[in-house]
Amino acid sequence: MYASIKEAFQACGARIYKIAKEHGWWDKERNDGEIIALMHSELSEALEALRHGNPPSEHIPQFSGVEEEMADVVIRVMDFCEARGYDLAGAIEAKITFNANRPHMHGGKLF
């Protein structure tokens, strides 16, 4: 078992990256813009699932289409961060703490 959520998260990221490497996604260097665009595409697929009533996933039918696509977003983000050596788990912990101390509806954005 893992000592912390961060440790478990990092182990998951390492597993995701290993699987991606084994399946050829890192056989040649990939540019960051392309990878980020693929993250966007998974969010667009989640939106499409919602537009179609969020039916069960075709690949993992015990989950909805939105759940599957959101999982794909997280997988792509974790894979990217692992490949680039970014401390995503640490950044998430720091950002949660930062956000907890921000004022109500901070930033004044309309949407």
Side-chain angles (χ1 to χ4, degrees), residues 17 26 29-32 35 79-86:
Y17 178 66
W26 292 102
E29 187 60 27
R30 301 166 68 197
N31 82 57
D32 293 350
I35 298 167
D79 179 47
F80 170 71
C81 290
E82 186 72 21
R84 297 296 186 252
Y86 295 143

Side-chain angles (χ1 to χ4, degrees), residues 31-53:
N31 82 57
D32 293 350
E34 170 193 347
I35 298 167
I36 291 169
L38 290 170
M39 294 174 201
H40 281 275
S41 75
E42 300 299 350
L43 287 169
S44 295
E45 290 177 14
L47 179 58
E48 282 302 305
L50 282 174
R51 286 179 175 159
H52 291 100

Side-chain angles (χ1 to χ4, degrees), residues 14-31:
R15 181 172 179 228
I16 287 166
Y17 178 66
K18 179 180 182 286
I19 291 167
K21 279 189 72 154
E22 290 171 352
H23 288 86
W25 291 105
W26 292 102
D27 285 352
K28 59 183 180 175
E29 187 60 27
R30 301 166 68 197
N31 82 57

Side-chain angles (χ1 to χ4, degrees), residues 39-90:
M39 294 174 201
H40 281 275
S41 75
E42 300 299 350
L43 287 169
S44 295
E45 290 177 14
L47 179 58
E48 282 302 305
L50 282 174
R51 286 179 175 159
H52 291 100
N54 197 22
S57 160
E58 292 178 14
H59 301 109
I60 48 172
Q62 68 271 35
F63 297 97
S64 71
V66 171
E67 289 170 310
E68 177 188 17
E69 299 309 333
M70 290 302 199
D72 283 342
V73 171
V74 173
I75 288 167
R76 286 197 182 275
V77 170
M78 291 177 80
D79 179 47
F80 170 71
C81 290
E82 186 72 21
R84 297 296 186 252
Y86 295 143
D87 180 9
L88 181 60

